[in-house]
């Protein structure tokens, strides 16, 4: 049973409105609950602590001795994601903030060494070899992506997740979004950093995007909401950027999923590689076109003269969450992504998600068994109902339902809101500024307990990526001549 002091401290944690306050109060709570000793003691059955401990000792010793040749050799050979099971989520279920201090010390030492190798002139690593070292090591290590699910108004939660990650410099460059998540991804892809802060606070954000059609229009368009109002909002908020233009503007790699109406097409992941000239607002409009709420739409692109025209004019597209809410496989193929941070707000998924940051024992196990059985039986029921039907609206509906049930809705790190019944009642319709800001704060609060795990799992990969960017800038600054990079600091060869 928790003491009064612990209960009072937990209340302070729950009332925090910014990460620094939340972290400070959570660290006090860890101390009150006696968890500091657990953090300081490196031993745990959940990872190979001896491997990590010895590797840290070696790296520090070689650095102190100035043995850069050995350090370079060791880093190139031994940098792998989840080395020694470092990414095991069980390591983050004990304390309110962070995990074993050994893990933090190891990741800090590795990132410090990588930055040093990048920013200093090292005789053992001339420029051309240095760039190759970082490229090959980065390719081996992999990249992280932020994946934003659908969720209608609940998707405004994503803005809070993005805000929390940006403030800690943990926002991946690769971002995917479907349905409501595509709106947030598109805002990130078309707005520079100095423009985003005000938007996330709700300043200048147009929150009037829902307009119900009159009965006659509903019957003609076979939908409930006015797609023209949504298009107006998207064009006004996102501009007329293509995916390629958006990438050049922000350097963020945004990806938007859409699903075809035609059964002879497959879901698409739209981005600056697959559809460079496609208009971003058009991709978002299609990804938000939930069947029944909005009609299917054509995608729009720019021709080589910059004129707007239909993309695959005979094909119409709908909500990306139907077939590919979280396009993990395609992101891996295109960008070498092997680590996924998921912000999950799909209303039909949230009742089946449990909090993975705290230990839950047998209760969690039993819930997972029941949820798995419900999912399996639901899929079987849909398949049985559609058996023998070759075409038609009912067949399409059943296939869509099966696709929704059969998807994977989790990532390596999954962030999700705690929802109430009234949140479901407000899932459609215009939000007030206060409601929007409440969703943003909910996204932040749900992300704060995951910050330490995200940092530990992504900081090495992010450092490798940042180093490659800095090295490319050095090459451009020096006219692309390999080996002519002006050193920031010259490191002497070890004696």
């Amino acid at each position: 049973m928790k003491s009064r002091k612990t209960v009072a401290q937990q209340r302070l944690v729950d009332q925090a409105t910014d990460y620094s306050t939340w972290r400070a109060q959570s660290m006090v709570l860890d101390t009150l609950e006696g968890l500091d000793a657990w953090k300081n003691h490196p031993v745990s059955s959940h990872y190979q602590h001896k491997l990590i401990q010895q590797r840290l000792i070696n790296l520090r010793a070689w650095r102190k001795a100035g043995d850069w040749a050995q350090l370079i050799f060791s880093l190139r050979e031994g940098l792998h994601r989840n080395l020694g099971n470092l990414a095991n989520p069980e390591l983050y279920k004990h304390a309110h903030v962070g995990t074993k201090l050994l893990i933090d010390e190891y990741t800090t030492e590795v990132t410090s060494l990588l930055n040093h190798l990048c920013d200093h002139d090292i005789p053992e690593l001339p420029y051309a070899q240095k760039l190759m070292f970082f490229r090959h090591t980065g390719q081996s290590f992999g990249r992280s992506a932020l994946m934003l699910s659908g969720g209608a108004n609940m998707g405004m939660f994503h803005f809070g997740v993005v805000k929390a990650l940006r403030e800690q410099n943990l926002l991946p460059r690769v971002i995917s979004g479907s349905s409501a998540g595509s709106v947030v991804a598109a805002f990130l892809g078309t707005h520079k950093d100095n423009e985003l802060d005000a938007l996330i606070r709700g300043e200048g954000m147009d929150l009037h995007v829902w307009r119900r059609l009159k009965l006659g229009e509903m019957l003609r368009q076979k939908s409930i909401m006015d797609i023209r109002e949504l298009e107006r909002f998207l064009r006004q908020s996102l501009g007329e950027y293509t995916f390629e233009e958006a990438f050049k503007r922000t350097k963020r790699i945004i990806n938007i999923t859409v699903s075809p109406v035609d059964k002879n097409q497959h879901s698409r992941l739209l981005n600056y590689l697959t559809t460079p000239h496609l208009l971003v607002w058009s991709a978002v409009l299609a990804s938000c076109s939930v069947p029944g709420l909005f009609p299917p739409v054509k995608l729009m692109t720019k021709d080589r003269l910059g004129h707007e025209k239909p993309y695959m004019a005979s094909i119409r597209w709908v909500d990306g969450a139907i077939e590919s809410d979280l396009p993990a496989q395609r992101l891996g193929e295109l960008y070498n992504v092997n680590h996924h941070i998921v912000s999950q707000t799909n209303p039909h998924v949230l009742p089946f998600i449990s909090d993975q940051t705290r230990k839950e024992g047998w209760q969690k196990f039993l819930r997972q068994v029941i949820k798995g059985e419900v999912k399996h039986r639901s899929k079987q029921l849909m398949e049985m109902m559609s058996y023998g039907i070759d075409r038609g609206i009912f067949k399409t509906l059943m296939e869509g339902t099966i696709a929704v049930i059969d998807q994977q809705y989790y990532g390596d790190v999954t962030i999700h809101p705690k929802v109430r019944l009234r949140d479901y009642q407000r899932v459609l319709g215009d939000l007030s500024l206060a409601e929007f800001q409440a969703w943003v704060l909910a996204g932040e609060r749900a992300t704060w307990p995951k910050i330490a795990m995200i940092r530990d799992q992504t900081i090495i990969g992010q450092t490798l990526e940042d180093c490659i960017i800095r090295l490319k800038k050095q090459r451009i600054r020096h006219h692309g001549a390999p080996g002519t990079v002006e050193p920031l600091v010259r490191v002497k060869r070890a004696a």
Side-chain angles (χ1 to χ4, degrees):
M1 186 173 180
K2 293 184 177 181
S3 67
R4 263 187 213 174
K5 197 170 182 180
T6 301
V7 172
Q9 186 61 38
Q10 181 67 64
R11 194 176 299 117
L12 292 175
V13 171
D14 296 338
Q15 292 171 351
T17 57
D18 61 83
Y19 178 68
S20 60
T21 302
W22 178 89
R23 186 176 186 277
Q25 298 295 351
S26 295
M27 290 181 73
V28 173
L29 187 58
D30 277 344
T31 300
L32 289 174
E33 293 184 353
L35 295 172
D36 288 346
W38 180 86
K39 293 181 187 178
N40 284 309
H41 188 50
V43 176
S44 171
S45 61
H46 297 307
Y47 77 121
Q48 291 182 300
H49 58 275
K50 290 182 179 179
L51 170 67
I52 303 303
Q53 203 165 35
Q54 187 59 57
R55 186 163 173 77
L56 178 60
I57 291 170
N58 290 341
L59 292 175
R60 285 173 171 172
W62 293 328
R63 184 174 197 168
K64 186 176 180 180
D67 193 348
W68 296 101
Q70 180 60 50
L71 274 168
I72 294 163
F73 181 87
S74 179
L75 288 171
R76 179 65 188 92
E77 183 182 52
L79 277 189
H80 304 285
R81 188 178 294 282
N82 202 19
L83 178 70
N85 211 19
L86 284 177
N88 188 346
E90 293 295 327
L91 291 164
Y92 296 85
K93 293 182 179 180
H94 294 265
H96 296 275
V97 180
T99 183
K100 299 290 188 180
L101 291 181
L102 173 61
I103 295 175
D104 182 62
E105 291 175 355
Y106 172 74
T107 55
T108 300
E109 182 66 27
V110 169
T111 54
S112 174
L113 284 168
L114 290 173
N115 282 319
H116 189 95
L117 289 173
C118 176
D119 297 332
H120 292 72
D121 178 44
I122 305 208
E124 293 87 345
L125 197 64
Y127 178 82
Q129 292 182 26
K130 182 184 292 190
L131 185 57
M132 186 180 296
F133 165 84
F134 278 101
R135 279 177 168 167
H136 288 179
T137 307
Q139 180 71 19
S140 170
F141 195 86
R143 302 173 82 174
S144 298
L146 174 63
M147 305 167 71
L148 308 173
S149 77
N153 283 340
M154 291 182 183
M156 299 306 97
F157 173 91
H158 299 321
F159 278 111
V161 175
V162 167
K163 183 174 184 287
L165 293 177
R166 282 183 70 231
E167 288 176 349
Q168 301 305 312
N169 295 317
L170 294 173
L171 182 66
R173 288 181 68 223
V174 180
I175 302 160
S176 76
S178 62
S179 199
S182 73
V183 177
V184 181
F187 267 94
L188 290 170
T190 56
H191 292 82
K192 295 182 178 180
D193 284 329
N194 60 349
E195 301 167 334
L196 282 172
D197 294 330
L199 288 170
I200 292 175
R201 289 194 298 268
E203 299 172 12
M205 178 75 79
D206 182 356
L207 298 173
H208 303 286
V209 298
W210 301 94
R211 189 178 81 81
R212 193 181 296 271
L213 295 170
K214 294 179 181 179
L215 181 59
E217 292 176 303
M218 287 185 191
L219 294 175
R220 282 195 301 273
Q221 297 188 25
K222 298 179 182 179
S223 59
I224 298 172
M225 296 296 176
D226 188 353
I227 193 74
R228 295 167 297 183
E229 188 69 11
L230 180 58
E231 180 179 334
R232 177 201 61 77
F233 161 75
L234 294 174
R235 296 185 84 143
Q236 180 180 315
S237 302
L238 304 176
E240 300 294 326
Y241 298 107
T242 65
F243 277 98
E244 186 174 65
E245 291 166 346
F247 173 70
K248 289 178 180 178
R249 188 169 199 266
T250 67
K251 301 305 180 186
R252 295 190 183 94
I253 305 171
I254 59 168
N255 304 263
I256 293 173
T257 60
V258 295
S259 302
V261 175
D262 190 334
K263 69 176 183 178
N264 292 319
Q265 287 284 338
H266 299 284
S267 61
R268 295 287 183 89
L269 189 64
L270 310 175
N271 50 59
Y272 86 102
L273 291 177
T274 60
T275 50
H277 310 305
L278 196 76
L279 288 156
V280 174
W281 69 259
S282 170
V284 177
L285 185 67
S287 194
C288 290
S289 295
V290 180
L293 282 180
F294 295 106
V297 299
K298 292 181 181 180
L299 292 170
M300 303 302 294
T301 187
K302 284 183 182 179
D303 63 20
R304 64 185 184 86
L305 299 177
H307 300 141
E308 184 179 308
K309 67 174 187 178
Y311 172 81
M312 296 186 179
S314 64
I315 300 174
R316 283 175 169 75
W317 307 83
V318 294
D319 185 1
I322 292 176
E323 293 187 14
S324 186
D325 190 44
L326 305 175
Q329 181 177 343
R330 190 67 174 132
L331 290 178
E333 294 168 351
L334 288 171
Y335 309 114
N336 194 35
V337 169
N338 59 0
H339 180 266
H340 309 92
I341 304 167
V342 170
S343 180
Q344 180 55 258
T345 59
N346 259 310
H348 65 279
V349 176
L350 293 177
F352 299 95
I353 291 184
S354 58
D355 186 359
Q356 296 177 317
T357 60
R358 305 294 288 166
K359 295 169 70 176
E360 298 184 49
W362 280 100
Q363 290 182 346
K364 177 183 176 181
F365 172 74
L366 291 174
R367 278 202 300 270
Q368 293 301 110
V369 170
I370 293 170
K371 291 172 187 176
E373 186 65 16
V374 169
K375 176 179 176 180
H376 176 65
R377 295 304 176 191
S378 298
K379 181 184 176 184
Q380 282 187 326
L381 178 62
M382 294 300 106
E383 289 175 339
M384 183 177 67
M385 291 174 66
S386 64
Y387 182 75
I389 303 174
D390 292 329
R391 61 180 64 88
I393 295 175
F394 184 77
K395 178 70 171 179
T396 302
L397 179 63
M398 291 299 101
E399 288 177 343
T401 304
I402 292 170
V404 168
I405 292 172
D406 206 31
Q407 291 184 54
Q408 171 62 257
Y409 291 101
Y410 291 85
D412 297 281
V413 180
T414 305
I415 306 167
H416 61 91
K418 296 177 181 177
V419 292
R420 301 151 297 182
L421 180 60
R422 67 183 182 183
D423 293 323
Y424 281 87
Q425 295 169 341
R426 296 285 296 139
V427 74
L428 302 176
D430 290 335
L431 291 173
S432 67
L433 179 59
E435 289 173 322
F436 172 80
Q437 291 173 338
W439 275 118
V440 173
L441 182 58
E444 290 183 83
R445 284 176 165 160
T447 307
W448 294 337
K450 309 288 182 76
I451 287 291
M453 180 163 58
I454 293 170
R455 178 180 285 112
D456 291 344
Q457 293 181 5
T458 64
I459 192 66
I460 293 176
Q462 186 177 6
T463 301
L464 288 164
E465 193 169 343
D466 290 343
C467 285
I468 292 171
I469 293 171
R470 296 208 298 277
L471 287 169
K472 287 180 177 179
K473 287 180 178 178
Q474 289 179 14
R475 180 174 61 187
I476 293 171
R477 192 161 60 242
H478 293 274
H479 311 291
T484 62
V485 179
E486 182 180 346
L488 300 177
V489 178
R490 181 170 291 278
V491 179
K492 293 182 180 180
R493 188 188 299 270

